[in-house]
Amino acid sequence: AQTVTQSQPEMSVQEAETVTLSCTYDTSENNYYLFWYKQPPSRQMILVIRQEAYKQQNATENRFSVNFQKAAKSFSLKISDSQLGDTAMYFCAFSNAGNNRKLIWGLGTSLAVNP
Amino acid sequence: NAGVTQTPKFQVLKTGQSMTLQCAQDMNHEYMSWYRQDPGMGLRLIHYSVGAGITDQGEVPNGYNVSRSTTEDFPLRLLSAAPSQTSVYFCASSYVGLQYFGPGTRLTVL
């Protein structure tokens, strides 16, 4: 069975600094998707970044980038120049690339950005 | 595009009452799902649907029913509410693995 593990329940970072959130997963599939979602206090789930397993290049979205290590089954999220609005729960998720698109979720990392 | 909409945003029920959480999407996505979110438990899949007329169970289906008569709508029914169903409920629709979430419903069962 596929699993997603986020080993850091809570993290904090100073404003303008860089922080990395860890995620590891387990699967026997070769083709799949990986995601990072952000959930601020408003409760809305917001997609931060998506990575397709067949792409070797790491995905980036402005201040957010990933370090995708397929062999190690690792998918960490780096937030550069942290802002107060980045304070949120961050969830890592996995999805097969087939017709069944169920997401498998990690338990989340609570990130606090301090002024 | 409204995206994924959910109603109501908040609901309080008494034990034993039934209710339906509504979910609709206007993106013509085939795949829709319902999750519940509890502190320290992440998101758990209740039921999902890969298209109109097709539904299947997720991790925690007991106490919930779903139907999918149209592509747009995917209501979640609580048959006889229990305090253990106090949670935040999210509906999502999906395209090429990318899930779009509704704003959530906070349900309290007394």
Side-chain angles (χ1 to χ4, degrees), chain A residues 28-33 52-55 70 94-98:
Chain A
S28 57
E29 301 290 330
N30 191 47
N31 200 12
Y32 49 86
Y33 300 100
E52 291 151 320
Y54 67 87
K55 289 188 178 177
K70 191 172 183 179
F94 167 99
S95 170
N96 283 325

Side-chain angles (χ1 to χ4, degrees), chain A residues 33 35 37 39 41-47 49-50 52 89 91 94-108, chain B residues 9-10 31 35 37 40-45 48 50 57-59 88 90 94-106:
Chain A
Y33 300 100
F35 306 88
Y37 280 87
Q39 187 179 39
S42 67
R43 210 173 62 203
Q44 179 71 45
M45 293 292 287
I46 302 164
L47 176 69
I49 203 162
R50 179 175 83 152
E52 291 151 320
M89 282 289 289
F91 292 96
F94 167 99
S95 170
N96 283 325
N99 286 332
N100 185 342
R101 299 288 171 82
K102 283 191 288 186
L103 279 183
I104 311 298
W105 294 86
L107 294 183
Chain B
K9 283 191 169 48
F10 300 94
Y31 188 94
Y35 295 92
Q37 185 179 28
M41 305 282 287
L43 284 101
R44 292 184 292 170
L45 183 65
Y48 66 99
V50 298
Q57 296 181 350
E59 299 173 69
V88 178
F90 286 97
S94 174
Y95 179 70
V96 292
L98 187 55
Q99 293 213 346
Y100 299 80
F101 284 84
T105 296
R106 182 176 290 279

Side-chain angles (χ1 to χ4, degrees), chain A residues 49 51 55-60 65-69:
Chain A
I49 203 162
Q51 176 80 41
K55 289 188 178 177
Q56 292 186 344
Q57 188 172 5
N58 289 325
T60 63
S65 62
V66 297
N67 183 6
F68 174 47
Q69 301 288 330

